[in-house]
Amino acid sequence: MEKNNPFANALQQLATVNELLRIDKNIYAQLQHPQRILEVSIPVKMDDGHMEVFTGWRSQYNDARGPFKGGIRFHPDVSRDEVKALSAWMTWKTAVVNIPLGGGKGGVAVDPKKLSDRELEELSRGYMRAMAKFVGPELDVPAPDVYTDPRIMGWMLDEYEKMLGTHAPGVITGKPLSLGGSEVREFSTAQGAVYVMARAAEKLGLAKNSTVAIQGFGNAGSFMAELLEKAGYRVAVLSDSHGTICNYMGLKVAAVAAHKKNTGSVAGYVGANNEGEKHCLEHQVDILIPAALENSINAENVNFIQTKLIVELANGPISPEAEKIINEKNILIVPDILANAGGVVVSYFEQVQNASGYYWKKEEVRSRLQEIMERAFDEVWHEKEKYRTTMRLGAYALAVRRIETAMKDRGRN
Ligand code: NAD
């Protein structure tokens, strides 16, 4: 597999955990493969009348602890191996926060920005039609990911329910509130990351008004910026695929969001220095938050990084070679499977609410999320200390042990 293939990275991380834990060899053999991977063709009649056929995937990695769970990504770079890697990470993620779910992930290789609203809806409904036999509230529960959102979840839910002729809101999470979505879900990934970041900052003795850089002012990154500003941190650097903006006094996040809404990017925002998108990682800040795509911190740029704490809001943002260097520099990494698990925790709450037909208030969701995230952080920290290792390995050790136990209890060894 080529360098920086995300699935190769995922397997490499698992191999490192195996060295530490000595996982049962029959279970380790199974954990290196998804239980099932579906590849489908999705024909969409385009507005000009021609038929375009898109390729979609759903990787169902492991369901020992509960139904497969994971988002659907619409992005031109989506590939079978990316979907497999993301589904493995979802398996570890649901285990690390100890919610009764397994791991899965879906995706379509498409640039959704090039589609009209009608074409996007056709594609979303087509994806669900192709997958309908393989998903379900007790089987596999998708959710949003990069370039998919509550509107798309609403179309997919509608398609599924039409096919089944019944209501089944628990088949998908991240739905609009009107269709059984949960309070807090919209910003749950960022909210969860804030809770674990605060714990990590405390361990390092960082001040409340520490400086922060966020790479990727998208769905997760923009909520993170807003919540951190509200909590008193100085959001000094923000970037997206078009550029980086920087103001060490602290950027006004709502104004940046308004600028991005008008222009499509953070670039060109007045009241900040404007730089190329690559410069985001090079700033001297207390906390760096990658919130874009995989391997954005790699062998080429890792030596420019100057920070004390990295909180992985994105999935797999640090390549294995870069990680070695970061660890040598003694920079603490709060790993993705813990840092961005808030989204799946609130997805789980959404399913619980759908199953009971009774909906919780915002404060109730928030406090239950805080409890789960802080407990998971403390448990991961305990593993890190026990094995004298990194937080990533501590998190993997905790997660893989839980999965191993469930697989053994099912007699799958
Ligand atoms: P998004 O598409 O809304 O945002 C991604 C952002 O990254 C965009 O603003 C894009 O411009 C920016 N970007 C792309 N390339 C860049 C580059 N080279 N430099 C700087 N910025 C760049 O996606 P999202 O939903 O916010 O997801 C981002 C990451 O967080 C992904 O890894 C995703 O898997 C992870 N994540 C998201 C959620 C969620 O609930 N949204 C949950 C868990 C994990």
Side-chain angles (χ1 to χ4, degrees), residues 58 68-74 90 104-107 127-128 135 140-150 152-153 156 171-175 185 343-344 346-348 350:
R58 183 82 190 157
F68 303 106
K69 181 84 193 87
I72 301 168
R73 180 175 292 199
F74 285 0
M90 281 306 299
K105 200 81 179 192
Y127 182 88
M128 184 46 104
V135 298
D140 182 358
V141 185
D145 190 63
V146 177
Y147 294 147
T148 55
D149 57 16
I152 292 175
M153 299 304 111
M156 289 186 174
V171 70
I172 204 159
T173 59
K175 299 179 292 290
R185 177 63 181 85
V344 74
V346 176
S347 271
Y348 161 58
E350 186 173 331

Side-chain angles (χ1 to χ4, degrees), residues 56-353:
W57 294 271
R58 183 82 190 157
S59 170
Q60 299 181 328
Y61 207 82
N62 187 287
D63 71 346
R65 302 183 62 263
F68 303 106
K69 181 84 193 87
I72 301 168
R73 180 175 292 199
F74 285 0
H75 192 278
D77 297 340
V78 166
S79 65
R80 193 183 169 94
D81 274 337
E82 183 185 68
V83 172
K84 274 163 69 177
L86 291 165
S87 68
W89 286 319
M90 281 306 299
T91 307
W92 323 141
K93 195 180 298 187
T94 53
V96 90
V97 288
N98 211 7
I99 53 177
L101 295 168
K105 200 81 179 192
V108 178
V110 58
D111 185 352
K113 289 181 182 164
K114 292 194 178 139
L115 300 186
S116 68
D117 273 7
R118 192 200 61 80
E119 291 164 345
L120 185 64
E121 180 172 350
E122 279 303 306
L123 178 68
S124 307
R125 288 184 183 274
Y127 182 88
M128 184 46 104
R129 269 197 308 278
M131 297 296 175
K133 286 206 177 84
F134 308 99
V135 298
E138 264 112 44
L139 175 57
D140 182 358
V141 185
D145 190 63
V146 177
Y147 294 147
T148 55
D149 57 16
R151 186 172 66 144
I152 292 175
M153 299 304 111
W155 291 329
M156 289 186 174
L157 172 71
D158 188 60
E159 195 64 26
Y160 183 80
E161 292 186 336
K162 271 187 190 153
M163 288 177 75
L164 258 70
T166 184
H167 281 281
V171 70
I172 204 159
T173 59
K175 299 179 292 290
L177 283 174
S178 65
L179 301 180
S182 177
E183 292 287 356
V184 181
R185 177 63 181 85
E186 199 188 11
F187 58 93
S188 52
T189 303
Q191 184 68 70
V194 170
Y195 293 137
V196 291
M197 191 187 112
R199 275 283 212 266
E202 214 177 278
K203 297 275 184 200
L204 296 181
L206 298 180
K208 272 272 175 237
N209 64 348
S210 293
T211 49
V212 181
I214 303 177
Q215 181 201 35
F217 194 67
N219 191 0
S222 58
F223 282 120
M224 189 75 190
E226 194 185 306
L227 292 170
L228 289 180
E229 184 186 38
K230 221 179 265 175
Y233 292 91
R234 265 178 300 152
V235 180
V237 185
L238 289 172
S239 77
D240 61 22
S241 52
H242 301 283
T244 298
I245 55 172
C246 163
N247 182 342
Y248 275 81
M249 300 301 286
L251 292 157
K252 302 264 177 286
V253 177
V256 175
H259 174 79
K260 175 146 186 162
K261 204 168 171 207
N262 289 334
T263 66
S265 170
V266 299
Y269 173 74
V270 284
N273 286 337
N274 271 269
E275 303 161 353
E277 104 275 352
K278 289 201 171 75
H279 292 288
C280 175
L281 301 170
E282 300 172 2
H283 283 272
Q284 187 159 13
V285 284
D286 298 309
I287 304 165
L288 175 62
I289 303 176
L293 297 175
E294 291 93 60
N295 292 318
S296 60
I297 300 176
N298 49 51
E300 272 120 66
N301 58 26
V302 64
N303 285 315
F304 298 109
I305 284 173
Q306 329 176 46
T307 188
K308 296 172 186 142
L309 171 63
I310 299 179
V311 180
E312 293 185 328
L313 200 56
N315 283 308
I318 304 178
S319 75
E321 310 85 69
E323 179 149 1
K324 276 189 203 127
I325 297 170
I326 293 171
N327 289 339
E328 279 160 18
K329 286 187 180 174
N330 252 334
I331 298 169
L332 181 67
I333 301 172
V334 183
D336 47 9
I337 59 168
L338 172 63
N340 68 32
V344 74
V345 171
V346 176
S347 271
Y348 161 58
F349 293 161
E350 186 173 331
Q351 280 190 287
V352 172
Q353 293 171 79

Side-chain angles (χ1 to χ4, degrees), residues 342-386:
V344 74
V345 171
V346 176
S347 271
Y348 161 58
F349 293 161
E350 186 173 331
Q351 280 190 287
V352 172
Q353 293 171 79
N354 293 153
S356 65
Y358 182 79
Y359 290 84
W360 310 342
K361 293 197 175 74
K362 205 179 249 177
E363 270 326 300
E364 180 162 7
V365 179
R366 233 196 255 259
S367 74
R368 286 178 193 257
L369 173 64
Q370 181 167 11
E371 192 186 321
I372 288 186
M373 295 305 294
E374 290 181 349
R375 188 191 58 215
F377 180 93
D378 293 345
E379 286 175 338
V380 168
W381 193 265
H382 177 79
E383 298 288 314
K384 166 190 171 327
E385 302 281 283
K386 182 170 108 188

